[in-house]
Amino acid sequence: MTASVNSDTSFNIISIGGPVLDGYRYSIPFSVPEKLKPFFRTDEFWFECPDAGEVPESIAVIPAVANLLPFAWVFDCELRVDSIDKTFYEAVPHIKRGYDNMACDLILKGSLAVNRVVDNHCDGEIGSPLSLFSGGVDAWCTLARHSAEKPHLVTVWGADVDCENPSGWKKVDEHSASVSRDYGLSYSYVRSNFRNLINYRILDASPTMTACDYHWWYSLQHGIGIIGLAAPLAYACKAPRIYIASSNTEMDKPYVCASDPTIDNYFAVADCRAFHDGYELTRQDKVDTIVQYAKGIAAQVSLRVCYHVQSGKNCCRCEKCARTIMEILASGGNPREFGFTYTSLQFAILMWRMEHVFRLVYPEFYYDIAAAVRDRGITLPVTARWVLSDDLASVCDNKFKRNWERFHAFGANLYHGMKDRINTNKR
Ligand SMILES: [Zn+2]
């Protein structure tokens, strides 16, 4: 029997209905109280993972529960679901404690109400660990560190490429599939509307969110949301672990990030636990690991790091592409052998923009690059030597760059505000 979706929205109840499998797609209806409705574009959560096949309802519902739980905590709601996996259910208070310590400008309340807690276990031989693979520096470093375990790569369609963008996804999918072929690994994808169903512009502009200045996706959703999507596959493949690569390190504190060892390492489902990998490494350490790893293998390491990743390629025009190119140079590697294609002129223009236009909001990355270049006696191209400036802080961030950024943000807000209004009128 499946739970019916509670239609009474006058109470603080988030109600998750029974998952329905149709072909490859699990559809999970949900309802939210009136006050949360502006934050959602739909009342159906869906995910597709052909390689997971059909799994017990108490497992299939986890992707939706994992992505909606933060709403219950932040907006003090009871999240109701008919059945849930016992290991996951018992992990939830620990995950919430991680959130409590992380998102300390919010008072987290709410609760999880379940009719049936189901004890799921995998019989027989355990499978390979899953490794969430975006193709970026963090994910490649985790693959390099755990290559002996032959991890099963999992890429999520709907995380950085829109779940309704097949052409962008095709490139990402081909990239992950070719990496898995080159390295003799299994590969699966999970597609979901877990981001598309949320209106982040309205949510992030809500009084609750503006008061703490957090961003929902980054600060409260992405870790638990992405690991949750891998849970059905982990169960189906009897994976003992789900690796999720770190983005931050201890030295980056204080930060408010939904993916952290204090949260991710408590995520568990059936006989599988998540592991937040590489937290002790800086980004430069990770690039060093990858460049070293590439020297010992025949296959190419092709990084996919770009902010404008909807095209599936590195644009070699954005700050993140530029930063990664510089990190590879500082590791003694050739960026053109790691998935970056650019001419000398394009490189010079990119470096000029880095020095004069882009506000480099994480100067610590550039301090690390400069230290690595100096320590190793690397000779950078002349146009990149701004990173060795004695006053790197003011190269990274200054009045001109701030004004330029404000000017751009103003234009973007105007555009998206008009788009939202047009979409609201259409409904
Ligand atoms: Zn880029």
Side-chain angles (χ1 to χ4, degrees):
M1 203 183 98
T2 57
S4 60
V5 177
N6 192 313
S7 57
D8 183 354
T9 53
S10 59
F11 299 101
N12 283 344
I13 292 166
I14 298 173
S15 185
I16 297 184
V20 176
L21 181 62
D22 183 10
Y24 293 140
R25 179 172 294 196
Y26 266 110
S27 297
I28 305 168
F30 66 93
S31 69
V32 297
E34 209 58 41
K35 65 176 180 180
L36 300 191
K37 282 192 174 169
F39 307 150
F40 289 91
R41 298 180 194 277
T42 174
D43 55 6
E44 183 190 78
F45 182 102
W46 58 259
F47 72 92
E48 298 172 1
C49 183
D51 294 340
E54 190 168 5
V55 294
E57 181 181 321
S58 57
I59 300 281
V61 81
I62 287 176
V65 174
N67 279 281
L68 293 172
L69 261 177
F71 284 95
W73 295 333
V74 171
F75 297 99
D76 191 14
C77 298
E78 181 178 281
L79 191 148
R80 289 184 182 172
V81 63
D82 184 52
S83 70
I84 200 89
D85 173 70
K86 182 168 180 272
T87 310
F88 178 76
Y89 181 74
E90 290 172 354
V92 167
H94 302 285
I95 297 170
K96 189 182 179 194
R97 193 180 57 222
Y99 266 80
D100 264 327
N101 294 331
M102 176 64 68
C104 42
D105 288 345
L106 287 170
I107 298 163
L108 300 181
K109 294 180 181 169
S111 56
L112 173 62
V114 180
N115 279 340
R116 289 182 297 128
V117 175
V118 182
D119 200 4
N120 295 296
H121 290 287
C122 305
D123 298 327
E125 204 179 326
I126 57 165
S128 302
L130 303 187
S131 194
L132 290 159
F133 188 76
S134 63
V137 165
D138 303 327
W140 263 107
C141 178
T142 290
L143 169 54
R145 280 153 56 96
H146 296 280
S147 59
E149 297 167 48
K150 291 278 172 192
H152 179 151
L153 303 184
V154 182
T155 305
V156 175
W157 178 6
D160 51 6
V161 172
D162 192 297
C163 66
E164 303 296 349
N165 175 4
S167 58
W169 167 249
K170 192 163 176 270
K171 295 187 181 99
V172 174
D173 185 47
E174 280 170 359
H175 179 252
S176 295
S178 77
V179 171
S180 70
R181 272 194 307 275
D182 288 350
Y183 293 83
L185 306 174
S186 300
Y187 161 63
S188 302
Y189 75 89
V190 188
R191 179 187 183 190
S192 175
N193 69 340
F194 74 128
R195 288 195 78 172
N196 248 12
L197 61 81
I198 297 171
N199 188 328
Y200 293 101
R201 279 183 47 75
I202 293 179
L203 177 54
D204 284 340
S206 68
T208 306
M209 293 302 288
T210 49
C212 59
D213 201 24
Y214 297 162
H215 297 281
W216 193 267
W217 167 251
Y218 179 78
S219 309
L220 297 162
Q221 186 188 2
H222 75 284
I224 192 175
I226 289 173
I227 301 170
L229 281 169
L233 183 69
Y235 174 81
C237 297
K238 301 176 185 176
R241 226 164 295 112
I242 302 171
Y243 289 120
I244 182 165
S246 65
S247 301
N248 297 308
T249 75
E250 187 75 28
M251 285 168 285
D252 296 329
K253 281 186 173 173
Y255 55 78
V256 179
C257 178
S259 184
D260 191 76
T262 61
I263 296 170
D264 298 344
N265 289 348
Y266 292 96
F267 190 106
V269 53
D271 297 323
C272 177
R273 283 193 83 95
F275 184 77
H276 186 93
D277 187 66
Y279 187 63
E280 70 281 17
L281 304 178
T282 66
R283 193 174 157 89
Q284 185 64 54
D285 291 335
K286 289 177 181 177
V287 173
D288 293 345
T289 303
I290 294 165
V291 170
Q292 283 305 315
Y293 176 66
K295 286 179 184 164
I297 51 167
Q300 212 204 342
V301 172
S302 173
L303 296 171
R304 203 179 69 81
V305 303
C306 185
Y307 279 137
H308 308 124
V309 81
Q310 293 284 339
S311 71
K313 280 194 216 157
N314 297 313
C315 73
C316 297
R317 291 164 52 86
C318 73
E319 185 270 338
K320 200 165 178 193
C321 282
R323 189 203 317 157
T324 313
I325 288 168
M326 295 175 80
E327 285 162 340
I328 295 168
L329 291 171
S331 290
N334 178 356
R336 290 187 174 98
E337 293 172 5
F338 290 85
F340 297 90
T341 307
Y342 52 85
T343 64
S344 301
L345 177 63
Q346 285 166 333
F347 179 80
I349 293 169
L350 179 61
M351 287 300 117
W352 185 86
R353 285 156 64 102
M354 292 289 280
E355 185 177 359
H356 300 288
V357 180
F358 295 152
R359 191 161 77 90
L360 309 177
V361 287
Y362 303 110
E364 55 277 12
F365 289 134
Y366 297 93
Y367 294 136
D368 287 350
I369 292 170
V373 167
R374 288 196 180 98
D375 290 351
R376 297 160 190 181
I378 301 275
T379 306
L380 287 178
V382 177
T383 48
R385 289 184 197 162
W386 56 267
V387 79
L388 300 172
S389 162
D390 291 336
D391 190 8
L392 185 54
S394 66
V395 177
C396 289
D397 193 357
N398 55 52
K399 205 171 165 188
F400 175 81
K401 287 186 169 187
R402 280 179 179 251
N403 285 339
W404 183 260
E405 192 177 81
R406 265 199 288 273
F407 172 70
H408 266 258
F410 175 74
N413 275 336
L414 208 65
Y415 169 76
H416 289 294
M418 281 167 63
K419 218 168 120 183
D420 275 352
R421 273 197 293 280
I422 291 165
N423 287 340
T424 308
N425 290 340
K426 272 185 191 164
R427 265 185 235 140

